[in-house]
């Protein structure tokens, strides 16, 4: 049985009503809001707030703002006047209000039965298509095509490499030095060759993910971070630092793709490994505020 919220506040002017309802720590995505011109309901389990309004409102233009454990409604009155109370008198009940609404609205005839065939555009990426990301995705595909062509050209040269150049650890160190000088494409080439020689070293994928983040190859950064996490098993204290970096880099890529829920999940996974990490704590809190709509995206 839901718990009715009674500790709300309301104020009014001749043209508008302002209602403040406490959310009591409930996540913003769990709040369900329903509003008509005579009725307002907020369901955030296990709590319930509802009111049958004293007079009709303009429900299409009225607004709700959620943040800081509170939801604030701005309801615009259809007729400018001061209300005696927020809710209707005992003579009008919910059944009467909804019956009046049904009489006002024209109910369309039921649709005929049929089937709809849906064709989905093939996708290279695991995420849904977003218009704002089209140019970035095309650029990424172009870079990957160039990388594949370069890789195929390099295949015969594997036999001509010096002995030290055939060592994945030497290539990893070379990639790290190139990364430090901000030559990210050259660093990626070094890590690529190291991975071709030994694809079981998680640090190679982890470092390459860092390069892809710098170059905004976000989907590739997600892929490399995920591969590093696969190789960093079983989870033991010796690989804890690597797992934290993998979660943070993948979470950062998700957030830059505006997939904030997935990003927050990775930051929280990193905090489970190192709960005292203040930097990760602060970044996770910023992501939560973006999800709740209380902080501007950076």
């Amino acid at each position: 049985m839901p718990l009715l919220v009674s500790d709300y506040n309301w104020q009014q002017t001749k043209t508008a009503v302002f209602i403040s309802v406490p959310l009591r720590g409930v996540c913003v995505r769990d709040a369900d809001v329903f509003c008509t011109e005579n009725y307002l309901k907020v369901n955030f389990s296990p709590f319930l707030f509802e009111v049958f309004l004293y007079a009709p409102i303009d429900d299409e233009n009225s607004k709700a703002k959620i943040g800081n454990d509170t939801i604030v409604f701005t309801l615009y009155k259809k007729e400018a006047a001061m209300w005696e109370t927020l809710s209707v008198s005992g003579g009008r009940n919910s059944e009467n209000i909804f019956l009046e609404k049904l009489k006002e609205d024209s109910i369309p005839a039921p649709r005929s039965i049929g089937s709809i065939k849906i064709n989905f555009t093939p996708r290279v990426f695991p995420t849904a298509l977003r218009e704002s990301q089209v140019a970035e995705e095309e650029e990424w595909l172009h870079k990957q095509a160039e990388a594949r062509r370069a890789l195929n050209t390099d295949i015969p040269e594997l036999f001509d490499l010096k002995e030290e150049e055939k060592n994945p650890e030497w290539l990893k160190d070379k990639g790290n030095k190139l990364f430090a000088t901000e030559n990210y494409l050259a660093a990626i080439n070094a890590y690529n060759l190291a991975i071709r020689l030994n694809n079981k070293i998680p640090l190679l994928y982890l470092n390459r993910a860092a390069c892809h983040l710098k170059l905004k190859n976000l989907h590739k950064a997600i892929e490399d971070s995920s591969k590093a996490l696969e190789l960093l098993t079983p989870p033991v204290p010796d690989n804890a630092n690597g797992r934290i970096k993998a979660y943070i880099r993948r979470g950062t890529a998700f957030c830059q793709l505006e997939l904030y829920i997935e990003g927050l999940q990775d930051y929280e996974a990193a905090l489970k490994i190192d709960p005292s990490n203040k930097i990760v704590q602060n970044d996770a809190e910023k992501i939560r505020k973006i999800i709740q709509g209380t902080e501007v995206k950076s």
Side-chain angles (χ1 to χ4, degrees):
M1 181 175 180
L3 302 176
L4 298 179
V5 176
S6 58
D7 55 340
Y8 64 89
N9 297 312
W10 77 285
Q11 298 176 343
Q12 66 170 322
T13 65
K14 283 190 175 182
T15 59
V17 175
F18 308 95
I19 306 174
S20 176
V21 182
L23 283 178
R24 300 184 183 180
V26 176
C27 181
V28 60
R29 62 176 176 266
D30 295 332
D32 180 27
V33 178
F34 176 76
C35 181
T36 69
E37 67 176 20
N38 294 107
Y39 176 71
L40 174 64
K41 181 183 78 170
V42 185
N43 183 15
F44 44 103
S45 182
F47 304 104
L48 173 67
F49 169 77
E50 67 174 350
V51 60
F52 300 96
L53 301 170
Y54 181 82
I57 62 167
D58 183 355
D59 55 312
E60 292 186 358
N61 293 319
S62 295
K63 302 180 291 186
K65 181 178 180 181
I66 302 177
N68 297 326
D69 292 341
T70 305
I71 179 167
V72 178
F73 292 97
T74 302
L75 310 177
Y76 297 105
K77 300 176 180 178
K78 282 197 171 182
E79 295 183 3
M82 298 299 288
W83 292 0
E84 296 180 8
T85 61
L86 176 63
S87 60
V88 295
S89 60
R92 291 180 71 190
N93 54 36
S94 60
E95 183 179 356
N96 293 334
I97 291 174
F98 292 127
L99 285 176
E100 290 173 7
K101 184 67 177 176
L102 286 173
K103 290 177 182 178
E104 294 173 2
D105 297 339
S106 58
I107 303 175
R111 295 181 179 180
S112 57
I113 298 175
S115 60
I116 299 175
K117 185 178 181 180
I118 300 176
N119 295 320
F120 295 96
T121 303
R123 287 279 294 158
V124 175
F125 304 99
T127 55
L129 177 63
R130 296 190 179 189
E131 187 175 350
S132 61
Q133 302 291 339
V134 169
E136 181 180 341
E137 290 180 352
E138 289 179 352
E139 182 181 358
W140 183 87
L141 290 172
H142 177 69
K143 288 180 179 178
Q144 297 310 303
E146 289 184 345
R148 283 193 295 272
R149 285 195 295 271
L151 198 60
N152 291 333
T153 304
D154 289 340
I155 289 176
E157 298 177 6
L158 288 174
F159 302 101
D160 299 326
L161 293 177
K162 298 177 181 178
E163 243 358 90
E164 62 179 4
E165 293 173 340
K166 294 181 181 180
N167 184 345
E169 290 295 328
W170 183 89
L171 289 166
K172 174 176 69 65
D173 293 338
K174 180 180 179 181
N176 294 348
K177 292 176 182 177
L178 291 168
F179 181 91
T181 63
E182 300 184 1
N183 192 348
Y184 304 121
L185 285 175
I188 287 176
N189 289 334
Y191 297 136
N192 285 344
L193 184 54
I195 289 171
R196 291 175 64 195
L197 295 171
N198 187 343
N199 61 4
K200 301 299 182 182
I201 302 176
L203 198 57
L204 295 174
Y205 295 94
L206 193 58
N207 292 356
R208 193 170 68 175
C211 294
H212 285 305
L213 272 179
K214 293 291 186 180
L215 296 172
K216 301 300 181 182
N217 296 333
L218 303 177
H219 296 90
K220 198 65 179 177
I222 292 172
E223 180 181 330
D224 276 352
S225 300
S226 299
K227 182 63 177 179
L229 285 169
E230 289 178 13
L231 295 174
L232 289 167
T233 53
V236 294
D238 286 346
N239 63 26
N241 188 49
R243 286 184 287 121
I244 290 173
K245 289 181 179 179
Y247 279 123
I248 291 175
R249 287 170 189 174
R250 190 171 69 177
T252 300
F254 276 132
C255 289
Q256 291 185 19
L257 288 168
E258 298 185 2
L259 301 173
Y260 296 107
I261 294 177
E262 291 83 350
L264 180 59
Q265 289 173 346
D266 277 344
Y267 270 82
E268 289 177 340
L271 283 173
K272 287 182 180 178
I273 302 172
D274 184 9
S276 62
N277 193 314
K278 297 297 183 182
I279 296 176
V280 180
Q281 288 176 5
N282 293 336
D283 289 342
E285 186 59 27
K286 290 179 182 178
I287 299 171
R288 290 190 191 95
K289 290 180 179 179
I290 291 174
I291 293 172
Q292 295 171 357
T294 59
E295 182 163 310
V296 178
K297 305 168 189 174
S298 60

